[in-house]
Amino acid sequence: MTTSAPSTASAVDTADAVRHRAHALPHPAPVDASRWPDVARAPRLSRTRAAIARLIVRRAFARLPLRVQWGDGPVTGSAGPVLRIRDPHAFFRRIGADGLIGFGESRMAGEWDADDLVGVLTVLAAHVTDLVPAPLQRLRGRWAQRQPGTERNTLQGARENIHRHYDLSNDLFALFLDATMTYSSAIFRNLPANRDDLAGAQRRKIDRLLDLADVGPDTRLLEIGTGWGELALRAAARGARVVTVTLSREQRDLAVRRIAEAGHADRVSVRLCDYREVDGSYDAVVSVEMIEAVGEEYWPVYFRHLHRLLAPGGRIALQAITIAHDRMLATRGDYTWIHKYVFPGGIIPSVRAIEQVAADTGLRIARADAYAEHYAETLRLWRERFTSRAGHLAELGFDETFRRMWEFYLAYCEAGFRARYLDVHQLLLTGAGMPVALTEDGGAR
């Protein structure tokens, strides 16, 4: 929108700007514009569009179990966690220009904060479908940003997308992960969990996937997405022969070292390649939270390769973050804050979408188990450890804006699982006509 605003909108906008200048809460240190150009300054926006954003946001917040402080004014609302908007003027401009991307960038800029960040984000996630009035939601295609073609998961594009996240620094991930260096949902014996439970819960998750895939002595196992090597280590300890593939050089280098130190180099081959470049025949395929990075366009390719690589009678065990099918359809092409700053090129599938695409390639889901509450706890433990050790970030070359971004990312994801906007599933896939016997705890025989 570029037209000039009606006089009433202009007056409201001017008054809000005056209040902002006079009463805004202290602002954090300036953002480095060379590193964070879209965070360093709020976007230019017509007064009309800013006024509309202000109206929508204020009305939406008023309906939520949320208390809000605008500038240094009083806290409004009677229930819920407190959202503190330090800079209302910039906050509305960012949301009016870029929606939820602007909301995240405003947090990175320090323009808003919360006493209970996860609590605020959980309220928003639980009401995400009705924050914007229905008439405006029908116009979504006109204002929602679309994923850029440069982030398509071609062979080269996938390498670049993975590099932007997983090659940040092994030391960064070691700040908040447990000793297993496992970067996916754990499965706990009891909830809520304690920090000391995390490594055992990660091994429990891995063992359950290996059981689903029936991995044992001399199993030919393909792992798509090495991580830092823990699953390959545990499979090799069972006597399996493992080929594991990754696109991250940082992950590959540490995984190779860990596998050698554990004495399993003769059983595990770590390859720096795309899943589309793998050949051979395998009794089992395991992939943990990698399908989210495949991209909807390439789901058929992904499952065709799985089917082609699987030996007769073989099994596939996947762990996948999932979303409700209707939400996936509504947002499938959107460009989000997560795409821009954390995971470029990804899309979270629904179980129905996985089932449909897999069926087209001769595979079927034989079992599906959900663990949303376990992922919420995993993320809480990561976030708490990251926050407690954030003082080390500067030593690794990361600034204050990165710290706010990463804390927001972990809290944002945790809130998604707590609100059940997101889920995580362990899926067993087999050939369409293959019977599967399951043990009492869900393992495959």
Side-chain angles (χ1 to χ4, degrees), residues 86-325:
R86 289 192 176 96
D87 190 338
H89 188 61
F91 181 76
F92 292 130
R93 283 169 60 192
R94 290 188 190 273
I95 291 179
D98 296 311
L100 291 178
I101 293 178
F103 180 71
E105 289 178 341
S106 188
R107 173 62 166 74
M108 293 167 67
E111 293 160 0
W112 68 266
D113 212 329
D115 300 341
D116 176 4
L117 182 57
V118 173
V120 166
L121 294 175
T122 300
V123 169
L124 296 176
H127 295 85
V128 70
T129 59
D130 54 13
L131 288 174
V132 177
L136 291 180
Q137 289 194 34
R138 288 193 287 271
L139 298 175
R140 182 186 189 90
R142 297 188 180 182
W143 54 264
Q145 294 191 41
R146 313 304 287 176
Q147 293 194 40
T150 54
E151 294 184 3
R152 290 179 61 231
N153 286 290
T154 62
L155 284 171
Q156 182 55 41
R159 285 181 169 85
E160 179 59 27
N161 290 338
I162 293 298
H163 168 73
R164 283 173 54 188
H165 185 80
Y166 292 96
D167 287 340
L168 283 169
S169 163
N170 285 340
D171 291 334
L172 166 66
F173 291 99
L175 279 181
F176 64 94
L177 299 180
D178 64 89
T180 69
M181 287 294 286
T182 306
Y183 189 37
S184 51
S185 179
I187 297 179
F188 298 93
R189 288 193 186 278
N190 300 294
L191 297 174
N194 297 316
R195 177 72 203 176
D196 293 342
D197 299 334
L198 185 54
Q202 292 290 10
R203 296 185 181 106
R204 185 175 303 108
K205 174 270 301 293
I206 290 170
D207 289 344
R208 189 177 190 283
L209 286 165
L210 295 176
D211 288 346
L212 283 172
D214 199 21
V215 175
D218 294 322
T219 297
R220 297 169 298 168
L221 171 64
L222 170 65
E223 181 189 19
I224 299 177
T226 304
W228 286 276
E230 186 69 18
L231 189 145
L233 281 171
R234 295 190 72 75
R238 293 184 176 206
R241 299 192 176 278
V242 185
V243 172
T244 179
V245 300
T246 179
L247 291 176
S248 167
R249 291 183 180 276
E250 288 271 326
Q251 287 189 328
R252 189 275 309 269
D253 292 347
L254 182 53
V256 167
R257 187 162 68 248
R258 293 182 71 210
I259 289 163
E261 290 172 353
H264 293 309
D266 60 329
R267 288 193 166 273
V268 182
S269 172
V270 185
R271 301 180 185 174
L272 189 67
C273 69
D274 192 279
Y275 69 91
R276 288 163 286 195
E277 299 171 313
V278 178
D279 56 15
S281 178
Y282 301 88
D283 305 309
V285 179
V286 177
S287 188
V288 183
E289 294 179 28
M290 182 270 176
I291 191 174
E292 303 87 346
V294 169
E296 183 180 9
E297 175 185 5
Y298 294 96
W299 288 344
V301 176
Y302 176 74
F303 283 104
R304 280 199 299 271
H305 276 269
L306 292 187
H307 189 265
R308 178 178 62 80
L309 294 166
L310 195 65
R315 295 183 174 89
I316 300 167
L318 303 183
Q319 184 162 305
I321 299 172
T322 59
I323 191 170
H325 193 65

Side-chain angles (χ1 to χ4, degrees), residues 377-398:
E377 283 294 279
T378 303
L379 283 154
R380 177 181 65 82
L381 294 173
W382 289 347
R383 177 178 52 81
E384 290 175 353
R385 188 161 193 245
F386 177 83
T387 300
S388 71
R389 307 187 73 197
H392 297 283
L393 286 171
E395 302 166 15
L396 302 178
F398 300 104

